[in-house]
Amino acid sequence: MLGGTVGTVAHHFFPAYTATPGAYALVGMGAVFAGVVRAPMTSVLMIFEMTQDYAVIVPLMIANLVSLFVASRLQHEPIYEAWPYRMASICRRRRRDNAMVSARSQK
């Protein structure tokens, strides 16, 4: 949504020099995907398959690199590597809580 907003404002002030707001939204969507999943080339291929337009590839690659850099500074492990550990800790906590409830009810 932020990409679309930036695109709308830029297109309003500089209509001859900027792309459509939809292009900004697509680049923003691809950059978020690349940062969260840490797969910049997947993002590039996904956006290209959606648009069939080479014009958004270069801005998308630049946005992906910035997004990847910022994401790696904010969180050291990708979401797909962190997710199993977090889910395992949630499951362990639930098992422990259930065992405590069972022990209390047997007293």
Side-chain angles (χ1 to χ4, degrees), residues 39-62:
M41 287 310 296
T42 303
S43 169
V44 171
L45 290 173
M46 180 180 68
I47 298 298
F48 175 70
E49 287 293 323
M50 285 174 57
T51 62
Q52 296 291 315
D53 185 16
Y54 286 114
V56 296
I57 298 297
V58 174
L60 180 62
M61 286 183 174
I62 293 168

Side-chain angles (χ1 to χ4, degrees), residues 32-107:
V32 167
F33 182 82
V36 169
V37 180
R38 308 272 174 93
M41 287 310 296
T42 303
S43 169
V44 171
L45 290 173
M46 180 180 68
I47 298 298
F48 175 70
E49 287 293 323
M50 285 174 57
T51 62
Q52 296 291 315
D53 185 16
Y54 286 114
V56 296
I57 298 297
V58 174
L60 180 62
M61 286 183 174
I62 293 168
N64 282 354
L65 288 176
V66 170
S67 175
L68 196 62
F69 177 75
V70 169
S72 66
R73 293 292 178 194
L74 292 177
Q75 184 176 359
H76 296 290
E77 56 187 358
I79 192 167
Y80 288 126
E81 290 179 13
W83 185 258
Y85 297 113
R86 290 181 183 161
M87 289 305 295
S89 68
I90 289 171
C91 290
R92 281 192 300 269
R93 193 174 332 129
R94 285 185 181 167
R95 271 190 253 132
R96 184 187 66 227
D97 292 346
N98 288 342
M100 290 172 66
V101 168
S102 298
R104 285 184 195 152
S105 65
Q106 291 177 358
K107 287 183 180 181

